[in-house]
Amino acid sequence: MSAEDKIPVTVLTGYLGAGKTTLLNRILTEPHGKKFAVVVNEFGEVGIDNDLVVGADEEVFEMNNGCICCTVRGDLIRIIESLMKRKGRFDAIIVETTGLADPAPVAQTFFVDQDVAEKTRLDAVVTVVDAKWLSERLKDAPEARNQIAFADVLILNKTDLVTEAELAAVEALIRGINPYAKLHKTQRSAVPLDAVLGRNAFDLDRILDIEPDFLEPGHHHHHSDEIGSIAITVEGDINPEKFMPWINEFTQVRGPDLLRCKGILAFKNEPRRFVFQGVHMILDGDLQRDWREDETRQSKMVFIGRKLNRQEIEAAVEACRA
Amino acid sequence: MTTQAQTSLTQNVTALDGGDHVITAAFIGAHPVLALADGCVKIITDGQTKSLAPHTGAPVLLGCVAGDTLLTGGEDGKIIATSADGSLTELADNKGRWVDALVAGPAQSIAWSCGKSVFCRDGKGQIRTWDAPSSVRGLGFLPKGYRLAIAHYNGASLWFPNSEAKPESLDWKGSHLDLTVSPDGRFIVTSMQENTLHGWRLADKKDMRMSGYPSKVRSLSWSHDGQWLATSGAEAAVIWPFKDKDGPMGKPPRECGVRPAKITQVAFHPKSLVLAIGYEDNCILLCRLTDAAELLVRRPVDGAGSITSMAWDGAGKRLIFGTSEGQAGLLTLP
Ligand SMILES: [Zn+2]
């Protein structure tokens, strides 16, 4: 089955009351002519406006390698197996998680389970954030930080309830955790559908550039146990024989602390760009299109995670120079 | 006769009117029956097809034979028994919760699960429930007594529905999927998320690991004498010997029906050591264990999907099958 034939899956996360259900109903009711299968938590909010709504238990299973970050959603594997027997009944799947859920097991399900990966593809993790209450949430709920760190698309909602200065502060807070997700400021979760669906965030072909929107120094200082991000740019070429073993080992050893990573690299004597992306220990990378004449051959990487040491990572990448 | 004709039974197959993804192809009494993902149940009598919608339009998630009826679990959360005459009986209503596993047991009992909840219904209609430690994927009745084996995360449990006693647990780390009990009740085997099988010898709970599969094992079938367990999941039917006290431990499995396509369904003949093997490319072979002779039942057809269900009738004269693209057929042995 080719990538285009696979059913896209959007994961919708966000802390309770942030506007997740409002966004979901917006997606479902707009006149787009698309049919969705929606997977919601069994004990979650009611009032979802869709024909096909499936209740899930959010059961997280460890894989047998004994690693704490290598987890999948067992219930989701079962639900998708059943859903995929009804071809033509829906065009896309939306998985809504509870406010307390870690998005990693959901995302990893689409890479780890063979049968699920054969028929579906993860399109993007969309996180809805409440502009008014986020700073409070970040103090008492580690899940909220996880959900921001993991996102490909961030919906900063309820902007009408805060002042401009407060909004700027919340945005800075978010960018300190996740500098590369697409950020949309909304009221009542009003966002164009194409900002949320059809993102291909995990497709190596579509990782066109890594331009953190917010890279002012100073915002990366965070307590070592908190989630933060490290963006690295290297001018000149990288030696793949040094880089590949390093990134493989780094993601294996630091997998539990490393939530997401992405990179576009210039390998020595290689006319094509090497693109990689990862979720915890799951790493996917390939040579993609040629570097264009007007592009500078430089390597950029973003790492998002806990207890990441900038000096250590910078030194390791520096040692991979060609 | 040409050599081709001698090794092929394709002439003995008649097409059945499928339509949608075949969830269950089976026999109720002498009648071939198909349960389709779109919610339709078709009963074939003397070449005539009767179509029913036991779940009033809701899709069928799974099905199994119970005596002279076909049981189906639908997206409506109901379990319906369909008889050959077309009559429908509602056996359970789980209020919209999807049924994840469904089996028939001795004395008209049935068991099913929704998430963590396991239900046993005896022949008189008395329903007992038990909450497993995690979601349940596979169920199997033991051949003697009213006792159910339940596969879940990190192992399996053995439950006497009529007893207040806490179910006995069989521990093995990981996610267990389908479950089968050997016909003599000595062994329990589960398939696992990590492309392996796990077994327990019930007498002493001794663990057995059966690994080496390139994908998940989703079809398991015991030979009529209970001495062999055939499994899907590889490009050959992998058949484990269970004759000895130790089961398959320390013994290599037999392999048959090697083709460049993954096996999705296996079904042992009810009276002889002949295995029906269905592939992901919808090809079907019969394989005789004694001399590895192979007979072609169905040639692969492009776009017809994989074999999703296959069953022999009680006499072992006919084999019914269905595919993920809604094709179905009936083999009548010469
Ligand atoms: Zn891990």
Side-chain angles (χ1 to χ4, degrees):
Chain A
M1 203 181 247
S2 72
E4 295 80 63
D5 296 332
K6 292 185 183 184
I7 296 279
V9 181
T10 303
V11 176
L12 202 52
T13 74
Y15 215 72
L16 296 170
K20 210 171 29 176
T21 308
T22 312
L23 175 61
L24 179 56
N25 276 330
R26 239 175 223 284
I27 296 171
L28 297 174
T29 52
E30 278 196 20
H32 40 58
K34 278 205 166 115
K35 285 174 292 182
F36 293 95
V38 182
V39 181
V40 296
N41 181 272
E42 218 172 354
F43 311 102
E45 301 105 307
V46 286
I48 290 151
D49 200 354
N50 198 50
D51 287 340
L52 185 52
V53 179
V54 191
D57 329 294
E58 300 213 336
E59 218 166 22
V60 175
F61 290 161
E62 277 175 31
M63 301 305 290
N64 261 1
N65 63 3
C67 174
I68 53 156
C69 77
C70 294
T71 50
V72 294
R73 279 269 305 272
D75 57 332
L76 203 53
I77 296 176
R78 198 172 62 236
I79 288 167
I80 286 179
E81 190 182 300
S82 284
L83 281 176
M84 294 313 291
K85 290 175 184 168
R86 297 296 321 277
K87 289 164 284 283
R89 196 168 162 217
F90 51 87
D91 311 293
I93 300 172
I94 300 172
V95 181
E96 187 199 32
T97 71
T98 52
L100 296 171
D102 174 3
V106 188
Q108 288 176 166
T109 301
F110 296 91
F111 297 98
V112 169
D113 188 89
Q114 260 174 303
D115 303 331
V116 170
E118 239 166 59
K119 292 180 170 138
T120 59
R121 59 171 181 84
L122 184 56
D123 187 64
V125 176
V126 177
T127 300
V128 187
V129 176
D130 183 328
K132 189 161 174 64
W133 294 108
L134 180 70
S135 47
E136 288 301 308
R137 281 291 84 78
L138 291 180
K139 286 176 200 149
D140 59 21
E143 301 83 7
R145 195 174 283 273
N146 250 334
Q147 291 165 356
I148 292 170
F150 224 90
D152 300 291
V153 178
L154 282 160
I155 309 295
L156 180 52
N157 196 30
K158 306 195 181 180
T159 54
D160 50 332
L161 302 182
V162 292
T163 64
E164 237 169 79
E166 284 169 329
L167 185 61
V170 171
E171 208 181 329
L173 210 52
I174 291 172
R175 284 312 191 188
I177 301 170
N178 185 337
Y180 75 83
K182 290 279 170 237
L183 182 84
H184 300 274
K185 291 170 222 173
T186 61
Q187 299 170 13
R188 285 168 293 281
S189 301
V191 64
L193 278 188
D194 60 4
V196 180
L197 304 175
R199 303 302 308 168
N200 291 289
F202 292 84
D203 184 347
L204 294 175
D205 288 332
R206 304 291 186 99
I207 300 174
L208 301 174
D209 209 349
I210 296 169
E211 283 301 346
D213 289 350
F214 196 92
L215 266 183
E216 282 174 49
H219 289 283
H220 299 287
H221 294 295
H222 48 77
H223 299 295
S224 58
D225 57 336
E226 275 185 10
I227 293 170
S229 69
I230 291 170
I232 292 175
T233 304
V234 178
E235 302 297 335
D237 291 352
I238 294 274
N239 179 349
E241 269 146 49
K242 290 180 182 166
F243 181 80
M244 295 312 288
W246 173 75
I247 189 81
N248 277 317
E249 202 204 312
F250 183 72
T251 50
Q252 286 310 299
V253 174
R254 303 299 300 279
D257 288 327
L258 184 65
L259 305 186
R260 295 283 299 266
C261 63
K262 274 188 193 189
I264 297 173
L265 307 182
F267 282 161
K268 193 176 167 66
N269 299 329
E270 175 55 65
R272 289 167 295 172
R273 310 186 330 160
F274 180 80
V275 182
F276 74 89
Q277 69 93 13
V279 174
H280 284 306
M281 288 181 179
I282 301 164
L283 193 63
D284 187 15
D286 206 359
L287 288 164
Q288 299 290 327
R289 67 163 172 82
D290 284 6
W291 287 94
R292 285 193 309 261
E293 294 277 324
D294 60 337
E295 280 175 328
T296 320
R297 282 179 63 100
Q298 57 174 200
S299 299
K300 290 180 183 180
M301 286 148 261
V302 182
F303 298 91
I304 297 182
R306 229 174 270 118
K307 302 178 206 160
L308 297 181
N309 183 323
R310 169 172 287 275
Q311 278 80 31
E312 178 203 323
I313 296 174
E314 267 175 353
V317 173
E318 197 60 35
C320 298
R321 272 183 186 279
Chain B
M1 271 205 326
T2 65
T3 317
Q4 182 66 34
Q6 284 166 355
T7 57
S8 171
L9 292 169
T10 51
Q11 306 291 320
N12 301 61
V13 175
T14 49
L16 296 177
D17 174 25
D20 200 32
H21 182 116
V22 178
I23 301 284
T24 306
F27 292 91
I28 46 177
H31 304 270
V33 59
L34 297 168
L36 309 176
D38 66 5
C40 191
V41 167
K42 295 187 173 181
I43 303 166
I44 297 108
T45 308
D46 303 326
Q48 298 292 310
T49 303
K50 181 162 39 186
S51 281
L52 303 160
H55 298 276
T56 53
V60 166
L61 295 169
L62 73 184
C64 74
V65 170
D68 282 346
T69 67
L70 177 77
L71 303 183
T72 48
E75 270 189 21
D76 56 356
K78 291 180 179 175
I79 296 173
I80 308 284
T82 302
S83 302
D85 63 6
S87 61
L88 305 173
T89 313
E90 182 181 311
L91 299 183
D93 182 357
N94 300 286
K95 308 274 179 253
R97 290 180 78 194
W98 285 16
V99 178
D100 300 318
L102 176 64
V103 286
Q108 293 175 303
S109 60
I110 66 166
W112 69 96
S113 68
C114 300
K116 292 178 188 178
S117 310
V118 187
F119 303 85
C120 247
R121 182 188 192 273
D122 65 20
K124 297 186 193 95
Q126 172 86 29
I127 295 175
R128 308 255 178 195
T129 70
W130 177 65
D131 272 357
S134 63
S135 288
V136 171
R137 292 293 295 267
L139 298 171
F141 275 101
L142 276 87
K144 287 200 193 93
Y146 186 41
R147 195 179 198 195
L148 187 70
I150 300 153
H152 45 71
Y153 187 46
N154 288 341
S157 296
L158 297 169
W159 177 43
F160 282 112
N162 284 339
S163 154
E164 295 303 316
K166 192 175 169 285
E168 197 178 327
S169 65
L170 300 166
D171 302 324
W172 189 261
K173 215 170 169 300
S175 185
H176 298 260
L177 311 176
D178 301 309
L179 179 147
T180 184
V181 183
S182 68
D184 58 11
R186 288 191 301 145
F187 299 99
I188 283 176
V189 178
T190 60
S191 61
M192 296 191 68
Q193 172 73 26
E194 279 94 358
N195 305 346
T196 61
L197 294 181
H198 192 81
W200 290 273
R201 183 166 66 189
L202 287 185
D204 56 2
K205 295 194 185 179
K206 191 180 150 91
D207 291 297
M208 299 178 284
R209 296 185 68 187
M210 290 156 270
S211 55
Y213 293 91
S215 68
K216 282 184 231 169
V217 178
R218 300 312 305 270
S219 177
L220 301 146
S221 176
W222 293 95
S223 60
H224 68 290
D225 56 8
Q227 296 188 356
W228 301 93
L229 176 66
T231 60
S232 68
E235 290 187 352
V238 177
I239 306 158
W240 297 93
F242 274 82
K243 186 183 175 188
D244 296 345
K245 201 162 107 323
D246 284 347
M249 288 304 88
K251 300 177 200 81
R254 294 269 293 269
E255 289 188 12
C256 68
V258 184
R259 284 186 67 244
K262 203 171 75 187
I263 288 161
T264 51
Q265 289 289 315
V266 284
F268 257 120
H269 189 273
K271 293 189 167 155
S272 65
L273 286 178
V274 168
L275 182 70
I277 307 169
Y279 297 81
E280 62 182 347
D281 63 359
N282 67 76
C283 177
I284 298 174
L285 295 181
L286 293 188
C287 198
R288 192 161 55 201
L289 243 57
T290 46
D291 60 358
E294 286 175 8
L295 290 167
L296 180 69
V297 175
R298 177 187 162 96
R299 257 180 257 283
V301 176
D302 272 352
S306 58
I307 300 292
T308 51
S309 185
M310 211 163 52
W312 292 94
D313 68 3
K317 289 279 182 215
R318 293 177 298 167
L319 176 80
I320 187 171
F321 60 85
T323 79
S324 57
E325 294 294 330
Q327 293 200 9
L330 185 68
L331 165 73
T332 306
L333 289 180

